[in-house]
Amino acid sequence: MQPAPHFQAPHFGQRPTASGHPVGAVFLAFFISVIVSMIYSGLILATYKDLTLTTANALYLGHALLNGAIVGALVGSVGHRNTGAWIWGAVIAALAAFFGYANAWPLILADAQSPGAVWDMVRYDAFLPARAWWNDESSGGVDWFSPLGLLVAAAAAWGLAYLIGNKRRQV
């Protein structure tokens, strides 16, 4: 008769083999992306009078890349090999690229006209910043830099989270 293979019962209190904190990674990435978006909105507010269309597009794409890189690095280093954290990091980076642009509109409106003009915009056309993000007023079509910024932010976040998360050894 062959002896049965040794079986070890699981001990209560053992930690699973997976490491990282995916929920903490997502929350940390969210808070940092809000801060980076606020800095971008402030930069646009400070320079909107002197910006050309090319410079504005370059700043937007640079913000999307920077925000995606920061979010991806945080998600990869804190969330490690968790695919869900990587996905949420890409979503957060794309949303941060959009809201960084859209939140600059009320600031510019308050600076150019008055804080009361922001309230009028909210009452009559609350989605004006979102439409301005999408529409190209100079040629009457779609501003393709806007969705490109979302793609750049999401790809940077996913790519860095993947690279950093997979380099981490699993504890």
Side-chain angles (χ1 to χ4, degrees), residues 41 139 144:
S41 295
S139 65
W144 289 107

Side-chain angles (χ1 to χ4, degrees), residues 64-139:
L65 181 64
L66 178 67
N67 210 326
I70 290 172
V71 166
L74 286 172
V75 167
S77 62
V78 177
H80 299 191
R81 295 182 184 191
N82 190 295
T83 307
W86 299 348
I87 292 169
W88 279 106
V91 169
I92 287 170
L95 286 173
F98 169 75
F99 282 112
Y101 179 90
N103 288 339
W105 265 79
L107 296 174
I108 292 170
L109 188 61
D111 184 54
Q113 295 181 10
S114 71
V118 175
W119 177 246
D120 290 339
M121 180 197 71
V122 169
R123 282 192 321 184
Y124 295 112
D125 194 5
F127 294 106
L128 177 67
R131 277 201 319 271
W133 173 82
W134 182 256
N135 291 333
D136 181 15
E137 296 299 325
S138 61
S139 65

Side-chain angles (χ1 to χ4, degrees), residues 30 88 164:
F30 172 74
W88 279 106
I164 292 173

Side-chain angles (χ1 to χ4, degrees), residues 42-82:
L43 178 67
I44 293 299
L45 176 64
T47 61
Y48 76 94
K49 292 177 184 175
D50 300 324
L51 287 178
T52 64
L53 181 62
T54 306
T55 308
N57 286 338
L59 276 176
Y60 172 68
L61 291 177
H63 163 251
L65 181 64
L66 178 67
N67 210 326
I70 290 172
V71 166
L74 286 172
V75 167
S77 62
V78 177
H80 299 191
R81 295 182 184 191
N82 190 295

